[in-house]
Amino acid sequence: MTELNTLFQIFNNLSESEKKAFLKKIKGENLPNLAKASNITNIYKCAHCNSANIVKNGTVRGVQRYLCRDCHKNFTPKTNTILFKTHYSDAVWRKYINCMMNGMSIRKSAKACGINPDTAFKWRHKILDSLQTMHKNVKLNGVVEADETFFPLSFKGNHNKSNFKLPRESHHRGKSNHKRGISSDQVCVPCAINLNGLSKSVITNLGKPTVKDLRKVFSRSIAENSVLVTDRNSAYNKIANEHNLQLVQIKAGKGSVGTFNIAKINSYHSILKMFIIYNFKGVSTKYLNNYLIWNNIKNYALGSEEEKEQIFADFVFTNKFCENSHDVSKRKAIPV
């Protein structure tokens, strides 16, 4: 059934001419039952009530429209997706995703796609926001290494033109920016990765995490009977007991316990910091979760760059998600 759903998603993403060519090809393969698909409309489901009881209802500017016989509403294959009401073609969006996968800056991406830099910035976060669903469903198993890393609390991008008021004194070059140790000026990001490279990371709190904070990341993300390898943070004992995990804790200064170590999660932290700091010169805290997802896809998803880009695009274009561009910059400065 998973393969069938994937086929439907790919089919939905084709243009009308490509769909006709595909169905014509099927007819040529002597598959009469599948060939009838040219007359089937319920390859789509209603974008409003998810009903399969739909019929074709004309076209609008060359795009097929459908009518749901249950809720009596019209929709197109793009309704409630990221492409809904966009003024640009699918090809421009695909080119933009290609720019993202190649690590191009906002300005370079905008120039390559022929769009405004402000539009390019909003597209970046609409695309990454749509991937949150995929990220929430990540399930780690086997040997899972976990640890927290920290980023400076940043209000980058909140300019004087808005009504935003900086909740602390601004930091100036040449002066110390941070308090000693782990403080409320640091954003905690618990991370986990298994031996296959499947990873998860998300903002949980400011300062040192509690058991409640760690549950936000690990409670539903690690399969039962997995081996959880961490440092000596006592909060992981409770997480392991609650979810039937075998806990292996590495004492500070000790490289490993038997065959277990935390080298992979330490490497993950290094690559993540490099991705955030080197590529983007640091990011605003309110957008940090999106860059965590981007790092996981670009640096840790399996497959070639072309395969990852295809999976990336297929999910973004078919996932039921619709966000207004003007809402992108209005999110809370501290998303915890």
Side-chain angles (χ1 to χ4, degrees):
M1 194 64 185
T2 303
E3 291 79 1
L4 187 59
N5 290 334
T6 302
L7 179 61
F8 283 169
Q9 287 181 353
I10 294 172
F11 184 86
N12 291 346
N13 204 41
L14 298 175
S15 67
E16 288 301 314
S17 60
E18 289 172 331
K19 287 174 185 174
K20 289 177 181 178
F22 173 73
L23 295 169
K24 186 176 180 181
K25 174 68 175 175
I26 289 176
K27 288 181 180 180
E29 296 293 336
N30 297 318
L31 298 175
N33 292 332
L34 280 176
K36 293 178 182 178
S38 57
N39 298 318
I40 294 174
T41 56
N42 65 4
I43 195 166
Y44 299 117
K45 289 187 178 180
C46 177
H48 306 288
C49 69
N50 208 37
S51 169
N53 187 18
I54 63 175
V55 293
K56 289 182 178 180
N57 193 32
T59 60
V60 178
R61 290 184 290 277
V63 177
Q64 180 66 56
R65 188 170 62 170
Y66 298 91
L67 173 67
C68 177
R69 284 181 165 169
D70 288 339
C71 69
H72 308 292
K73 292 181 180 179
N74 287 301
F75 68 96
T76 72
K78 296 180 182 180
T79 300
N80 294 338
T81 71
I82 203 169
L83 298 174
F84 187 50
K85 292 185 178 180
T86 182
H87 297 293
Y88 294 91
S89 68
D90 298 7
V92 177
W93 281 86
R94 284 190 175 276
K95 188 167 186 178
Y96 185 79
I97 286 178
N98 178 261
C99 292
M100 285 183 66
M101 292 300 290
N102 288 323
M104 293 172 64
S105 68
I106 289 290
R107 292 187 181 278
K108 288 182 179 179
S109 299
K111 186 175 181 180
C113 298
I115 59 178
N116 186 278
D118 184 56
T119 300
F121 176 80
K122 289 174 180 176
W123 278 17
R124 172 184 286 183
H125 290 290
K126 287 180 71 173
I127 288 169
L128 295 174
D129 282 346
S130 73
L131 292 171
Q132 294 287 351
T133 304
M134 180 189 289
H135 189 245
K136 287 177 183 177
N137 294 329
V138 168
K139 195 82 166 178
L140 307 175
N141 57 13
V143 178
V144 180
E145 298 178 24
D147 197 7
E148 318 88 54
T149 190
F150 296 87
F151 289 88
L153 182 60
S154 172
F155 300 101
K156 177 181 177 181
N158 294 285
H159 301 294
N160 293 331
K161 294 179 182 178
S162 67
N163 296 323
F164 177 77
K165 293 182 179 179
L166 197 66
R168 55 161 170 76
E169 291 185 6
S170 59
H171 293 158
H172 298 282
R173 292 181 182 176
K175 296 186 178 181
S176 176
N177 292 341
H178 311 295
K179 301 173 185 177
R180 294 182 63 185
I182 299 173
S183 70
S184 58
D185 278 348
Q186 293 177 296
V187 181
C188 179
V189 180
C191 310
I193 185 169
N194 67 10
L195 297 184
N196 292 327
L198 190 62
S199 56
K200 185 160 188 175
S201 54
V202 66
I203 293 174
T204 55
N205 62 290
L206 301 181
K208 188 175 181 179
T210 62
V211 174
K212 183 179 178 180
D213 294 323
L214 294 178
R215 281 196 190 107
K216 296 176 186 177
V217 183
F218 302 126
S219 289
R220 298 177 182 178
S221 301
I222 304 178
E224 286 192 357
N225 300 316
S226 296
V227 179
L228 180 61
V229 186
T230 71
D231 59 13
R232 299 289 287 183
N233 187 338
S234 59
Y236 288 108
N237 286 288
K238 201 158 191 177
I239 298 290
N241 290 333
E242 288 172 350
H243 300 284
N244 194 26
L245 304 173
Q246 180 185 338
L247 180 64
V248 177
Q249 292 192 295
I250 312 293
K251 188 176 180 180
K254 192 173 182 180
S256 61
V257 172
T259 59
F260 299 106
N261 58 59
I262 52 175
K264 200 171 185 69
I265 191 66
N266 289 338
S267 173
Y268 177 90
H269 288 166
S270 297
I271 292 172
L272 174 60
K273 293 281 180 79
M274 182 69 71
F275 181 75
I276 297 291
I277 298 170
Y278 178 78
N279 288 351
F280 304 104
K281 307 298 185 288
V283 300
S284 177
T285 298
K286 67 181 178 180
Y287 299 122
L288 181 55
N289 271 331
N290 279 351
Y291 288 91
L292 297 177
I293 293 174
W294 193 357
N295 172 68
N296 289 347
I297 291 174
K298 181 170 177 56
N299 294 323
Y300 286 93
L302 299 178
S304 66
E305 291 298 318
E306 292 76 15
E307 290 170 337
K308 289 192 285 187
E309 183 178 327
Q310 186 64 45
I311 293 169
F312 189 173
D314 287 346
F315 184 86
V316 168
F317 294 153
T318 59
N319 184 40
K320 293 300 178 184
F321 171 85
C322 193
E323 179 182 39
N324 293 323
S325 293
H326 62 263
D327 291 330
V328 169
S329 60
K330 292 182 179 179
R331 63 194 67 189
K332 293 192 298 183
I334 307 175
V336 291

